[in-house]
Amino acid sequence: MKRKLEISERQKLIEEGKNLKEGLATLEEDLVKLTDELQLEAQCIPNMTHPNVPIGGEDSSTVRKMAGTPRDFGFPVKDHLQLGKELDLFDFDAAAEVSGSKFYYLKNEAVLLEMALVNWTLSEVMKKGFTPLTTPELVRSSVVEKCGFQPRGDNTQVYSIEGSDQCLIGTAEIPVGGIHMDAILAETQLPLKYVAFSHCFRTEAGAAGAATRGLYRVHQFSKVEMFVLCRPEESESYHEELIKIEEDLFSALGLHYKTFDMASGDLGAPAYRKFDVEAWMPGLGRYGEISSASNCLDYQSRRLGIRYRPSEPTPAPLKKGKGSLAPTQFVHTLNATACAVPRMIVCLLENYQQEDGSVIIPGPLRAFMGGLELITPKST
């Protein structure tokens, strides 16, 4: 075009340039679309698994620890639904009319019991150096995805808000994971240990049957969640710390439970290794999951962009003007359930029921319930 050209030849080249520009714009649009599709596919790839994780489905999980023994009642055992009805502690029928199935009202001492469980758990975990948080309960769907959960699809457990890019959280792990999104932390800030209270919302798609009745599986519940951000070499030791905190809490409440090293088929996408705790629920006649503790390595932090800069400088600058700053690394993230309130209420009502229909309040919770020691049937 810079050479002397005939007008016709120059016009031909101008037209060719326009076509190239239009073609490039189309290719760039296609590239953006394909990049988004590739990212969605890549987000379906789960984390690696710890070499000691049992291979197989849930039945292949191995027992790490068993604490306590089932109580010998000596009288016919009631489940939490019957106890709750007789003690006037919750109302599923009214909630079904107001909100739909798998919702509930807590009443009377059950309300105090929920508050006591939350406050006692928070106070105990804070003694271990955890910072307390309450969290937003609506988050952007992109944050849900970056934490390793799928906000869309037929089997999603996530409630999405129509006409927005927001979702209701299924666990405080999601908003706590996002609190340092796209940040570069100083190594001296690590570990960051949070204990968060939130309400949680789950569709419980596909969940039905007698095994999930009552408070065991519901759409909305309160939960206290622990979350740790740490250096990579420390994540396995913090995983052990988290499961010990859980076990100490449940032992303090006098529960009989088993801790499992969960098999590969039951890990979920973000978890490198997961320990579950199942407590004995005598009224339901089985063990039920009450908590889990997961080490996610850098699976979530890579997606969320959470890095830290090591304190030790590099031996020599890699590039002129870069100084001697050490290159950043991704943190490791871990999460663990300190108290999922409805299932704890199931455990306490069923394990502490008495022959006369009353329920004893475990010692650690009494100070958080105004000194109340016993839930007794209401006089008619």
Side-chain angles (χ1 to χ4, degrees):
M1 293 287 285
K2 291 182 179 179
R3 301 195 323 268
K4 288 185 177 181
L5 298 170
E6 295 291 334
I7 293 176
S8 59
E9 190 174 353
R10 181 181 294 276
Q11 190 60 38
K12 180 181 177 183
L13 290 173
I14 290 172
E15 291 298 324
E16 188 176 340
K18 286 181 179 178
N19 291 336
L20 285 171
K21 188 175 181 180
E22 291 172 0
L24 181 60
T26 301
L27 289 172
E28 287 175 341
E29 289 177 6
D30 291 343
L31 178 61
V32 169
K33 183 180 177 182
L34 286 170
T35 301
D36 289 344
E37 290 176 0
L38 178 61
Q39 180 65 24
L40 288 174
E41 290 298 324
Q43 286 177 182
C44 296
I45 300 172
N47 203 347
M48 303 293 286
T49 54
H50 190 285
N52 293 340
V53 167
I55 304 300
E58 186 177 355
D59 293 342
S60 300
S61 301
T62 57
V63 177
R64 277 172 49 97
K65 177 181 178 178
M66 181 178 289
T69 55
R71 177 185 163 194
D72 183 9
F73 286 89
F75 58 86
V77 174
K78 301 171 184 175
D79 67 14
H80 71 282
L81 280 168
Q82 186 176 354
L83 288 163
K85 183 176 181 179
E86 293 174 358
L87 296 171
D88 195 23
L89 296 179
F90 30 76
D91 191 331
F92 286 92
D93 293 336
E97 292 296 323
V98 171
S99 302
S101 64
K102 295 186 183 294
F103 286 94
Y104 57 95
Y105 287 95
L106 292 184
K107 300 171 64 179
N108 299 312
E109 293 91 344
V111 178
L112 303 181
L113 186 56
E114 169 165 7
M115 302 303 177
L117 281 165
V118 169
N119 287 310
W120 174 72
T121 302
L122 283 171
S123 66
E124 290 299 304
V125 177
M126 286 168 62
K127 293 175 185 176
K128 307 294 184 181
F130 286 71
T131 299
L133 292 175
T134 58
T135 73
E137 293 171 359
L138 278 174
V139 296
R140 299 184 190 279
S141 58
S142 59
V143 177
V144 177
E145 291 169 349
K146 289 173 181 178
C147 286
F149 300 92
Q150 298 300 323
R152 300 175 185 86
D154 293 337
N155 293 320
T156 183
Q157 296 294 324
V158 179
Y159 282 108
S160 295
I161 307 301
E162 189 175 358
S164 80
D165 68 340
Q166 294 173 312
C167 303
L168 288 166
I169 63 170
T171 169
E173 170 191 348
I174 296 168
V176 180
I179 197 171
H180 295 291
M181 189 165 58
D182 298 323
I184 298 177
L185 306 168
E187 186 174 20
T188 53
Q189 292 177 264
L190 300 178
L192 287 167
K193 300 161 71 175
Y194 294 110
V195 56
F197 169 76
S198 75
H199 296 100
C200 305
F201 306 86
R202 300 183 185 180
T203 66
E204 298 297 357
T212 65
R213 70 184 186 275
L215 289 172
Y216 188 81
R217 196 178 297 279
V218 289
H219 289 311
Q220 176 184 333
F221 58 97
S222 301
K223 183 157 72 83
V224 179
E225 182 82 0
M226 297 179 286
F227 195 91
V228 174
L229 302 94
C230 66
R231 297 186 302 168
E233 61 269 26
E234 297 175 328
S235 64
E236 289 205 35
S237 65
Y238 281 114
H239 197 195
E240 293 293 338
E241 178 181 321
L242 288 171
I243 191 63
K244 185 177 188 309
I245 291 172
E246 290 182 345
E247 290 171 344
D248 288 348
L249 290 170
F250 304 143
S251 292
L253 292 175
L255 301 181
H256 165 50
Y257 63 84
K258 296 190 287 188
T259 304
F260 291 88
D261 193 346
M262 299 307 291
S264 56
D266 197 59
L267 288 185
Y272 173 67
R273 193 176 194 183
K274 181 164 74 96
F275 302 142
D276 278 7
V277 179
E278 294 187 2
W280 178 245
M281 300 176 178
L284 298 180
R286 63 183 176 85
Y287 290 92
E289 181 190 339
I290 56 171
S291 79
S292 65
S294 299
N295 183 359
C296 298
L297 301 187
D298 60 1
Y299 186 86
Q300 294 175 324
S301 63
R302 284 181 179 275
R303 295 156 175 251
L304 292 163
I306 310 172
R307 296 174 288 166
Y308 77 100
R309 193 179 299 279
S311 301
E312 291 296 321
T314 53
L318 298 176
K319 291 183 180 180
K320 186 177 180 181
K322 287 290 183 181
S324 59
L325 290 176
T328 59
Q329 298 181 38
F330 289 102
V331 300
H332 279 193
T333 62
L334 304 97
N335 63 83
T337 307
C339 179
V341 170
R343 292 190 184 181
M344 292 304 296
I345 290 177
V346 172
C347 286
L348 297 180
L349 292 180
E350 294 189 359
N351 281 286
Y352 281 96
Q353 61 182 292
Q354 305 301 300
E355 190 169 9
D356 64 0
S358 63
V359 174
I360 294 173
I361 303 298
L365 301 179
R366 292 175 184 175
F368 295 87
M369 295 184 67
L372 185 69
E373 298 182 5
L374 194 69
I375 303 174
T376 56
K378 308 294 181 289
S379 58
T380 54

